[in-house]
Amino acid sequence: MKKKILTMLCVTALLSSCHIYKSYDRPEELRTNGLYRDTLESGNSMLGEDTANFGNLPWQEVFTDPQLQAYISQGLADNTDLQTAILKVKESQAALLSARLAYAPSLGLSPQGTLSSFDKGTATKTYSLPVTASWEIDLFGKLLNAKRNAQTVLLQSQAYQQAVQTQLIAAIANTYYTLLMLDQQLIISQQTADIMKHNVATMRAMKEAAMTNAAAVSQSEAAYAQVLASLPAIRQGIRETENALCMLLKQTPQTVKRSTLEEQKLPSEFSIGVPLQLLANRPDVKAAEMALAATYYNANSARAAFYPQITISGSAGWTNNAGGLILNPGNLLASAIGSLTQPLFYRGSNIARLKIAKAQQEEAKLAFEQALLNAGSEVSNALSLYQTTAEKATARTLQVESSQKSAEYTKELFQLGSSTTYLEVLSAEQSLLNARLSQVSDQFDQMQAVVSLYRALGGGREE
């Protein structure tokens, strides 16, 4: 009768613990459609949704500047944050190995020797060489869920490493392009300063010839000084950007070799893939999902704590001291013990642990959903930025050409002695300078949009 009752209790426990063995499944209610806005609304055929994905391109095919490629390679080899992320992966691999070894029996060797003498009598020598072993039978999924948890933590750390790598590649590219933009702005400002300097000399000569007045000369000198004052700020920006790039490359601040803005060639046609690909491509989204899976297995471990723990242990060894059981010294001793531990007085703490685990699982689920929404938002913003900068490029080119003609015509009219004042000449030249600087900024914004889209689609990760 007792045997039947025990059998029924075991069967009931097994049936109630079936959920413990179930592996993690992605939430069915998760919505992936419409993660980012339709890019075809405005009729831009360069931006389309397809099964292909711009983020799947190797970074060498996106960033073709040889100098930039060298910096990215150096950053991937030496960057401190990335090296730290790699070490975290190694830590997780060691933790997974420990979880797998929990399935194997634990062995121990405890040799002992004793030398004793009573009342100056002959010394008695005794020894024992026991080997002990203990093996926990994973009947209720305790070790299984611990191993699965370690596996998800490893995947999470690997995803984090990929996220750091993706961000690093984007940061190096953006910093490099910022340098090229500042270089071009410095060239334009220096060219404008040279023109202004020539204008000052011209205005002084015209004043001596009684062709203009002192006010016009002062205006030309003020305009020249204004342009000169902008140069140190640009040079300071270049120095700080060079230092920032050196930090990413883990090297001391120094001059950075680079090409020019005009030499850059970036992709102009993109496929952003189906929204579901963000789940596989975005390392931060993958890390968030692995965090959710880890909390799922943690909850299963909390459930497993309610069930008995079955352990088989034994020992074997040689001894010459076993009392009256052994007549001849140096005989073998062996024993085996099976134990079943059922939690009785820890039920309250186990219930609390399970409630905490369930709450953490819900928190991780919300974080996963938010990470997916953030990814879709970043893709939408990057697409919109590229589209906006592409539209601005045509208008900005027209502005620069018109400002160039306006400056030339206004200067010619002034030199011919018409009613045009020098203030109008200065205004036209200032408009030209602003238009050229804005054109450089627009080019940088367009390059930055490509980098942002590549990063938002999970580009730069290792397959």
Side-chain angles (χ1 to χ4, degrees):
M1 184 66 180
K2 292 182 179 180
K3 184 177 181 182
K4 291 182 178 180
I5 294 175
L6 181 61
T7 302
M8 291 178 63
L9 289 175
C10 291
V11 172
T12 303
L14 286 172
L15 291 175
S16 61
S17 63
C18 290
H19 184 75
I20 296 175
Y21 297 97
K22 185 179 179 181
S23 60
Y24 164 80
D25 289 323
R26 182 174 295 159
E28 296 180 357
E29 66 273 16
L30 186 68
R31 294 187 301 174
T32 59
N33 293 330
L35 281 177
Y36 37 78
R37 301 176 68 174
D38 186 4
T39 58
L40 300 179
E41 290 177 351
S42 59
N44 188 343
S45 60
M46 291 188 299
L47 304 174
E49 183 176 309
D50 199 351
T51 54
N53 192 328
F54 173 55
N56 290 333
L57 289 178
W59 60 264
Q60 294 90 341
E61 296 183 17
V62 179
F63 309 110
T64 57
D65 186 320
Q67 191 64 61
L68 175 56
Q69 289 182 344
Y71 290 141
I72 292 177
S73 297
Q74 181 180 347
L76 294 178
D78 300 333
N79 180 263
T80 302
D81 292 336
L82 185 57
Q83 292 302 313
T84 302
I86 293 174
L87 291 175
K88 289 185 179 297
V89 172
K90 293 182 178 179
E91 293 173 9
S92 300
Q93 289 173 338
L96 176 58
L97 177 60
S98 176
R100 287 173 174 168
L101 291 176
Y103 282 91
S106 59
L107 300 175
L109 176 64
S110 303
Q112 295 180 351
T114 304
L115 180 65
S116 61
S117 174
F118 179 74
D119 194 20
K120 298 182 180 180
T122 304
T124 301
K125 300 177 182 179
T126 61
Y127 69 88
S128 61
L129 298 173
V131 177
T132 61
S134 177
W135 179 38
E136 180 178 350
I137 301 177
D138 191 31
L139 188 60
F140 300 103
K142 176 184 175 182
L143 300 181
L144 173 65
N145 284 288
K147 185 192 74 170
R148 287 175 173 176
N149 189 11
Q151 288 174 331
T152 58
V153 170
L154 173 59
L155 292 175
Q156 183 182 5
S157 64
Q158 290 173 337
Y160 173 74
Q161 175 191 341
Q162 293 302 322
V164 173
Q165 177 169 314
T166 297
Q167 293 171 0
L168 176 63
I169 292 174
I172 292 175
N174 275 330
T175 307
Y176 183 81
Y177 292 144
T178 300
L179 276 176
L180 302 188
M181 176 193 68
L182 292 173
D183 287 343
Q184 189 63 25
Q185 289 183 340
L186 181 61
I187 292 173
I188 293 173
S189 298
Q190 287 176 333
Q191 292 174 347
T192 304
D194 293 339
I195 294 174
M196 293 292 188
K197 182 179 180 180
H198 177 73
N199 287 348
V200 170
T202 301
M203 293 303 297
R204 288 171 179 172
M206 292 178 66
K207 181 179 178 297
E208 293 177 359
M211 297 176 62
T212 189
N213 52 37
V217 175
S218 298
Q219 289 173 349
S220 65
E221 291 173 344
Y224 175 52
Q226 182 181 4
V227 176
L228 284 181
S230 68
L231 298 180
I234 299 177
R235 294 192 182 98
Q236 179 63 22
I238 291 175
R239 177 65 63 90
E240 292 177 357
T241 307
E242 284 181 327
N243 294 344
L245 182 55
C246 291
M247 287 288 291
L248 292 173
L249 304 180
K250 196 185 176 181
Q251 63 184 25
T252 57
Q254 55 191 272
T255 301
V256 174
K257 296 181 180 179
R258 51 192 180 271
S259 58
T260 63
L261 194 66
E262 290 81 2
E263 296 179 79
Q264 302 307 305
K265 294 181 180 179
L266 290 173
S268 58
E269 296 184 3
F270 311 100
S271 293
I272 58 177
V274 295
L276 191 61
Q277 286 181 317
L278 282 183
L279 290 171
N281 291 358
R282 285 278 297 231
D284 57 334
V285 174
K286 186 183 297 183
E289 184 173 17
M290 290 302 100
L292 172 59
T295 60
Y296 172 82
Y297 293 125
N298 186 45
N300 279 355
S301 296
R303 293 185 179 94
F306 288 90
Y307 302 109
Q309 178 180 338
I310 301 176
T311 305
I312 298 177
S313 59
S315 64
W318 293 89
T319 182
N320 70 337
N321 183 26
L325 296 178
I326 298 179
L327 299 177
N328 298 318
N331 281 268
L332 174 67
L333 285 179
S335 66
I337 302 173
S339 64
L340 184 148
T341 304
Q342 172 67 41
L344 295 176
F345 301 102
Y346 299 101
R347 181 172 178 82
S349 61
N350 286 342
I351 292 175
R353 178 188 172 191
L354 180 58
K355 289 182 178 180
I356 293 172
K358 288 182 176 179
Q360 290 174 340
Q361 187 175 350
E362 290 300 317
E363 292 173 9
K365 180 181 177 182
L366 292 174
F368 174 43
E369 292 173 346
Q370 188 61 47
L372 195 56
L373 291 175
N374 292 341
S377 178
E378 289 183 9
V379 173
S380 297
N381 290 340
L383 289 172
S384 177
L385 178 60
Y386 183 86
Q387 188 171 344
T388 300
T389 54
E391 293 172 355
K392 287 170 62 178
T394 302
R396 192 71 71 185
T397 300
L398 179 60
Q399 180 186 3
V400 171
E401 293 175 352
S402 300
S403 298
Q404 180 74 44
K405 294 178 181 179
S406 175
E408 293 174 354
Y409 294 156
T410 305
K411 190 172 184 179
E412 289 178 3
L413 290 173
F414 176 77
Q415 292 174 346
L416 291 174
S418 66
S419 58
T420 302
T421 65
Y422 189 70
L423 182 60
E424 293 176 304
V425 175
L426 290 178
S427 178
E429 290 179 342
Q430 187 65 42
S431 297
L432 175 59
L433 173 61
N434 292 336
R436 294 182 66 189
L437 293 177
S438 297
Q439 187 178 43
V440 173
S441 296
D442 291 344
Q443 291 175 346
F444 170 73
D445 288 343
Q446 194 166 18
M447 297 164 69
Q448 192 176 41
V450 174
V451 176
S452 298
L453 179 60
Y454 186 62
R455 184 191 64 81
L457 292 173
R461 67 191 184 282
E462 293 179 355
E463 298 297 339

